[in-house]
Amino acid sequence: MRDGDTIVALSSGALPSGVAIIRLSGPKAGTLLTDLTGKALPVPRQLTLASIRTGGEILDRGLVAWFPGPHSFTGEDCAELQLHGSRAVVRLLLRQVAAQSGVRLAEAGEFTRRAFENGRLDLTEVEGLGDLIEAETENQRRLAVSRLDGALSRQISAWRMTLLDLRAEIEARLDFSDESDVDIVLPERVRCDLSALRADLESARDSLDRGRIAREGLRVALAGPANAGKSSLLNALIRSDVAIVSDEPGTTRDVREVALDLGGQLVLLIDMAGLRETDSRAEAEGIARARREIAQADLVLWLVAPDVPATELPDLDDGAEVWRLDTKADLGASVSANALPVSALTGEGLDGLLAKLTEFVTERRLGEPLLLSRERDRQAIEAAMRALVEAEADIERLELAADSLRQAGDALARLTGELDAEMVLDRLFSAFCIGK
C-alpha cells in the first residue's frame, strides 16, 4: 500500500450483475468524478444521474455520489459510481481511471484500512465489519452489527475511564503527598471500584464462549465406533449425500464439517473416523483427528449401534455436553439406557433429534448482543485481569499499583488498535474483499 494515492475498485458483487458500484478514495477522487461526468461535483451524499464518459464517448449512464472527507467511509474524499454491471463497462472504466497519475487499483481491504488509519473505525469495529460481510446466520449478523456499531468500543472506553480515575487517585498521592488537601490514605472506594472492574472484566470474559459460538458456529461432533452410522446420520440430517457411506469399517478417515442453520444459529455437524484399534497409518491419523475434534466440540453426539461392538467415550476435559444416540433403530431395540433411538434408513427419531438440537442452540441464543467473540478478545481481557489482580495485591505500594493499572489500560487499548495495531492489521485486512 502507498500513502497518498487515490485508489479505485469494484465494490459490488461478481459480474455480470444488475448494478456495479465503483468506489474511489483519495485526493483525486473529486477531480476524477468531474472528469468522468463532465459536470461540477454534485451535492454531497446525494445520488445524481449522470453520463459517464471516457475518451470523449459515453461509456454508460448511472448514478454518482460525492462524499467529501473527512465525512466519508475512509475519512478521505470519496466518490461512488453506480453503473450497469457489464464486464465491458467495468473493465474499461477501471482501466481508464487507474491509468491516471497517482491513481491505482485498490488492494484487498484497503478502503477499510484507510478508514482505520484515519480514525473512522477502530480495530474492533473493523473486525465487526469483516464479520458482517461473512455473516450467514441471524446470530452472526447480530453479533457483527453490535461490534461494528461500537458496542465493544464503548465498553472498552468505559473500562479505561475507570482505570484512569483509579490511577489519578493513586498518582495524586505520589505526586502531591505534601499538599494539605491530599489524603495519603487511599479511600475505600478505590478498592471497591478496583474489585468491581475486575468482576466486570471476568463476566465479559466468561461470555466469550457464547460469542465464539455465535460467530464461528456450535461444533457438534458425530462420534462413536466405526460403522456406528455417523456418515449416514449426517446425510440424513442435512438431506444430502455429502458423506460416503459403506459397511466397510474405516470408510471415513478425515474430518468433514457441514454447516446447518438452526433457529438463526450456525451449527457445524462434524463427521469423523470411527474410534477403534487399527494397523492402518492413514486410518490411525484419522482417528487421532477425530479425538481432537471430540475434545474441541461444544456438543458430542455419541453413536452406539446394535451391530457394532461398543467403545468407551474419550475423556472430555472441557465438560462438553454428551448425548447418546442409538443408531440403526430399524434393526432392533435400543442398546443403551437414556439414549435417543434414530434410524437414518427409516427416518425414525430424526425430527426429534433436530428439535432437541434446535432447543439446545436456542437456549444459547443471544439475548443482549454479546461483546467478545475472538481469541484476541480473550487474550486482552485476561491480560487486563491479571494486571488488576496485581494492582489489588500491591495496593499499599502505590508505585507498583499505578504501573499495574497502566498495564491493564494498555491491554484494553490493544483491542481497539490504539497500541500495537500493526501486529494484526496485515492479517486482518488481507481477509477483506477487493473494494472493501
Side-chain angles (χ1 to χ4, degrees):
M1 297 186 184
R2 300 185 297 277
D3 293 337
D5 288 345
T6 295
I7 54 176
V8 60
L10 171 67
S11 290
S12 51
L15 302 174
S17 58
V19 176
I21 301 176
I22 307 297
R23 174 180 285 177
L24 302 105
S25 180
K28 290 192 174 183
T31 301
L32 289 168
L33 186 58
T34 56
D35 290 346
L36 289 169
T37 62
K39 297 180 180 179
L41 290 173
V43 177
R45 289 171 291 281
Q46 290 187 15
L47 289 174
T48 303
L49 182 65
S51 296
I52 308 302
R53 300 174 181 270
T54 61
E57 66 174 316
I58 294 179
L59 175 66
D60 197 2
R61 285 175 59 82
L63 298 173
V64 299
W66 166 238
F67 305 94
H71 303 296
S72 67
F73 174 72
T74 63
E76 304 173 327
D77 287 347
C78 290
E80 289 189 358
L81 299 86
Q82 299 184 14
L83 309 175
H84 294 98
S86 157
R87 289 192 178 95
V89 168
V90 171
R91 182 169 55 246
L92 180 57
L93 180 60
L94 291 177
R95 184 185 305 149
Q96 293 286 339
V97 171
Q100 304 295 316
S101 175
V103 184
R104 60 177 173 81
L105 296 176
E107 299 176 21
E110 191 167 2
F111 288 95
T112 306
R113 182 160 188 159
R114 291 189 176 197
F116 169 77
E117 292 173 344
N118 292 322
R120 300 295 292 173
L121 297 173
D122 68 29
L123 205 51
T124 64
E125 292 166 340
V126 169
E127 290 168 332
L129 177 58
D131 290 344
L132 181 60
I133 292 171
E134 297 179 0
E136 298 179 357
T137 67
E138 177 62 11
N139 277 3
Q140 288 177 316
R141 182 199 64 78
R142 293 178 63 205
L143 180 64
V145 167
S146 175
R147 198 173 181 109
L148 174 59
D149 192 45
L152 179 54
S153 304
R154 290 189 292 273
Q155 181 61 75
I156 292 171
S157 178
W159 287 332
R160 293 182 67 196
M161 286 301 298
T162 300
L163 285 169
L164 287 174
D165 290 342
L166 292 170
R167 283 181 62 188
E169 288 282 358
I170 293 174
E171 291 176 2
R173 284 153 180 81
L174 290 172
D175 297 336
F176 306 106
S177 58
D178 55 344
E179 299 290 336
S180 60
D181 59 343
V182 177
D183 188 354
I184 191 62
V185 178
L186 284 173
E188 184 60 30
R189 64 177 174 80
V190 171
R191 292 177 173 81
C192 292
D193 289 349
L194 190 54
S195 178
L197 178 58
R198 181 171 54 81
D200 202 12
L201 289 174
E202 185 175 358
S203 177
R205 190 273 313 273
D206 291 344
S207 74
L208 193 142
D209 280 341
R210 287 199 300 129
R212 188 263 310 164
I213 288 172
R215 178 175 175 269
E216 300 176 2
L218 183 82
R219 301 184 68 82
V220 179
L222 307 184
N227 268 20
K230 297 179 293 298
S231 297
S232 297
L233 179 61
L234 175 70
N235 290 341
L237 288 174
I238 65 173
R239 296 180 173 85
S240 177
D241 292 332
V242 299
I244 298 175
V245 175
S246 169
D247 58 4
E248 179 183 348
T251 300
T252 303
R253 295 191 174 186
D254 208 347
V255 173
R256 178 190 299 274
E257 292 185 3
V258 178
L260 194 62
D261 186 338
L262 288 181
Q265 168 64 52
L266 176 64
V267 174
L268 298 176
L269 299 177
I270 306 168
D271 186 23
M272 61 189 70
L275 305 186
R276 66 168 186 158
E277 297 295 327
T278 180
D279 295 327
S280 167
R281 293 172 59 187
E283 187 181 355
E285 175 59 26
I287 292 172
R289 294 183 183 186
R291 291 183 181 277
R292 289 195 294 269
E293 288 294 334
I294 293 171
Q296 296 170 4
D298 301 301
L299 172 65
V300 176
L301 303 184
W302 184 250
L303 278 59
V304 180
D307 59 343
V308 175
T311 300
E312 288 297 319
L313 175 68
D315 292 334
L316 302 178
D317 295 334
D318 59 356
E321 189 161 342
V322 178
W323 297 354
R324 296 184 179 272
L325 305 184
D326 281 346
T327 57
K328 306 181 186 180
D330 51 285
L331 296 183
S334 298
V335 297
S336 52
N338 302 318
L340 177 67
V342 295
S343 170
L345 180 64
T346 66
E348 178 185 346
L350 295 183
D351 289 341
L353 176 58
L354 281 173
K356 190 175 180 181
L357 277 172
T358 303
E359 181 181 0
F360 183 78
V361 300
T362 299
E363 291 173 354
R364 287 151 180 80
R365 183 190 299 274
L366 300 177
E368 292 300 315
L370 296 172
L371 297 180
L372 307 180
S373 59
R374 294 171 173 261
E375 183 58 28
R376 198 174 71 86
D377 301 345
R378 184 194 302 277
Q379 293 172 358
I381 294 298
E382 290 183 345
M385 289 172 59
R386 287 193 298 270
L388 290 181
V389 170
E390 292 175 0
E392 288 181 296
D394 294 328
I395 197 65
E396 300 299 336
R397 293 179 287 181
L398 300 184
E399 295 90 344
L400 295 178
D403 187 62
S404 293
L405 293 178
R406 178 193 59 79
Q407 292 178 37
D410 288 351
L412 296 176
R414 290 187 180 92
L415 262 182
T416 55
E418 295 175 59
L419 289 176
D420 302 334
E422 290 298 327
M423 295 176 63
V424 294
L425 285 181
D426 291 337
R427 178 173 55 83
L428 175 62
F429 290 118
S430 66
F432 277 66
C433 54
I434 300 293
K436 194 64 184 175

